[in-house]
Amino acid sequence: RPTFTCGGVVSGESGFIGSEGFPGVYPPNSKCTWKITVPEGKVVVLSFRYLDLESDALCRYDFVDIYSGHANGQRIGRFCGTAKPGALVSSSNKMLVQMTSDANTAGSGFIAKFSAAEPHERGDREDPSPWRALPRLQFLWECLSAPASLPTGWAMAPALIELKFEKFDVERDNYCRYDYVAVFNGGEINDAKRIGKYCGDSPPAPILSEKNELLVQFLSDLSLTADGFIGHYKFRPKKLPTTTALPTTTTVPTTSVVKPTVPLCQQKCKRSGTLESNYCSSNFVITGTVITAVTRAGSLHATISIINVYKEGNLAIQQAGKNMSAKILVMCKQCPLIRRGLNYIIMGQVEEDGRGKVFPNSFVMSFKTKNSKILNALKNKTC
């Protein structure tokens, strides 16, 4: 049986890599990197034979990252727990695997086989699976730049971009690994700026950029095609016009924005009613973990990693692999008070851009597992 060490450089037609000390418990506080290279003209196919890392819905503690290429490559996926992903395929003859563990370990780690495949063939012929090892065709719509200024009579910052998909039919996969559309803030492919990654036959909710640039990326492999997608974009002003009436020739659409006001934020920070009484009057009802919380102009802009959706309404929900998230605007930063890292039941309204909006009297409370029974009952209720 081979002895596995922390990382290394491996090459050839095929081989195995594994966590340090496998099948023993992997060490704490480590970061191990494997650089895999197969012959030129081929792609790398990585198949996990065993996976046992500390389980977490967001893979925040112990995890394995897979990248296409060795330096500044695109991340293919992040994995933890015991559920093995399907075969993972690089876009070239190089792949990087990196395992990270924190101070508290749990599990035996992983073992995976890498193999070389022709771009048009499946990899790992001795272990057939429905997962394909195919190259990708890539299309980029770069930097859809909104104008830096708008018609006379408007005083505002550069416009934002709203992207809507009228039709969407891209090969379905739980991880969107084969055919997908990805949308990024700014003009470059960067995981930190990725708004979402989409596949399947349901159009994503409308997407609104943070600034005046978007990048739309479409990738497909050489098998199982679908009808594709049709989308359109338009510019939205970042602020409301300063004039009371618009010029008759102006057709630029606006987004309603409610700013925190003194009277609003002086209301008593006390939720009213019960789960049952607030359910039907709320546009959306979710449970989730606060993963980011940033204060801007008296409001709190939060990203919620969703545990469950009970009432979606028009809430824009982004999905990357199995992880779903949504943007929430707490109108008054101290009311209701939510903290990063904690779980909540959140009920609220939805803005035109699909972002959730929470007021001081909105129903927000800490989420406990015992609440799920009530919420599931409400989900089946007709409002």
Side-chain angles (χ1 to χ4, degrees):
R1 188 169 60 187
T3 300
F4 295 106
T5 58
C6 180
V9 177
V10 293
S11 60
E13 286 282 346
S14 64
F16 287 88
I17 61 172
S19 56
E20 184 177 2
F22 182 88
V25 175
Y26 53 83
N29 297 317
S30 67
K31 179 176 286 189
C32 304
T33 302
W34 293 263
K35 292 183 177 181
I36 301 170
T37 304
V38 297
E40 287 285 347
K42 297 189 176 183
V43 293
V44 183
V45 182
L46 187 74
S47 301
F48 281 89
R49 299 303 176 85
Y50 183 86
L51 183 66
D52 181 21
L53 276 69
E54 182 177 359
S55 182
D56 174 65
L58 300 178
C59 292
R60 291 169 294 185
Y61 309 119
D62 298 353
F63 52 85
V64 178
D65 283 327
I66 313 296
Y67 296 87
S68 183
H70 286 174
N72 302 318
Q74 182 181 3
R75 190 171 73 183
I76 300 172
R78 170 173 288 187
F79 309 99
C80 63
T82 58
K84 296 184 297 182
L88 305 166
V89 186
S90 67
S91 59
S92 68
N93 69 322
K94 295 181 180 180
M95 178 181 283
L96 186 142
V97 179
Q98 188 170 76
M99 176 179 165
T100 302
S101 66
D102 65 5
N104 302 306
T105 62
S108 300
F110 76 92
I111 185 170
K113 179 182 179 181
F114 72 88
S115 57
E118 296 293 339
H120 59 281
E121 293 180 351
R122 296 186 180 197
D124 202 358
R125 294 181 179 274
E126 66 187 35
D127 183 19
S129 74
W131 310 106
R132 295 181 308 285
L134 298 169
R136 296 195 177 279
L137 303 178
Q138 176 172 269
F139 301 88
L140 295 176
W141 289 264
E142 295 186 26
C143 305
L144 304 178
S145 299
S149 60
L150 290 168
T152 304
W154 294 71
M156 60 186 70
L160 307 180
I161 301 169
E162 181 183 66
L163 175 65
K164 286 186 177 181
F165 291 94
E166 298 173 2
K167 175 182 176 182
F168 199 90
D169 186 11
V170 175
E171 181 186 355
R172 178 184 296 278
D173 171 67
N174 288 338
Y175 296 95
C176 293
R177 287 167 292 188
Y178 307 122
D179 298 356
Y180 63 80
V181 176
V183 183
F184 300 84
N185 273 308
E188 61 181 18
I189 296 175
N190 183 330
D191 276 348
K193 295 182 178 181
R194 189 172 71 190
I195 299 172
K197 183 178 179 182
Y198 314 100
C199 62
D201 57 7
S202 298
I207 296 167
L208 190 68
S209 66
E210 291 182 356
K211 296 183 180 180
N212 67 324
E213 288 185 312
L214 273 182
L215 178 70
V216 180
Q217 177 193 37
F218 174 59
L219 285 91
S220 69
D221 61 18
L222 298 180
S223 178
L224 292 184
T225 62
D227 288 342
F229 67 92
I230 297 175
H232 68 270
Y233 67 93
K234 61 183 177 182
F235 303 138
R236 283 187 173 275
K238 209 169 185 179
K239 297 181 181 179
L240 291 174
T242 56
T243 56
T244 56
L246 296 179
T248 56
T249 56
T250 299
T251 58
V252 179
T254 62
T255 301
S256 60
V257 177
V258 179
K259 294 185 178 181
T261 63
V262 173
L264 175 67
C265 294
Q266 283 182 345
Q267 294 182 23
K268 288 185 178 180
C269 192
K270 184 178 180 181
R271 65 174 183 266
S272 59
T274 62
L275 279 170
E276 293 86 345
S277 64
N278 281 274
Y279 186 87
C280 285
S281 60
S282 301
N283 290 156
F284 73 92
V285 179
I286 62 173
T287 56
T289 307
V290 180
I291 54 177
T292 66
V294 179
T295 300
R296 297 176 190 161
S299 297
L300 186 72
H301 296 248
T303 303
I304 310 298
S305 175
I306 294 175
I307 298 172
N308 212 333
V309 178
Y310 297 93
K311 188 176 180 182
E312 183 173 348
N314 294 321
L315 183 67
I317 295 177
Q318 312 296 340
Q319 184 162 4
K322 293 183 178 180
N323 298 325
M324 296 189 298
S325 63
K327 303 289 186 182
I328 302 295
L329 175 65
V330 179
M331 298 304 301
C332 303
K333 64 179 181 179
Q334 297 296 332
C335 186
L337 184 63
I338 63 173
R339 299 183 183 278
R340 188 163 61 90
L342 300 183
N343 300 335
Y344 294 93
I345 300 171
I346 302 174
M347 299 185 180
Q349 308 305 311
V350 181
E351 290 187 311
E352 290 180 10
D353 62 4
R355 181 172 55 177
K357 188 162 54 180
V358 175
F359 295 94
N361 62 349
S362 297
F363 194 91
V364 176
M365 66 176 285
S366 295
F367 171 64
K368 307 295 182 185
T369 305
K370 62 183 180 182
N371 302 132
S372 298
K373 185 176 181 180
I374 298 175
L375 290 167
N376 283 325
L378 290 172
K379 187 175 182 179
N380 297 322
K381 174 182 177 182
T382 302
C383 292

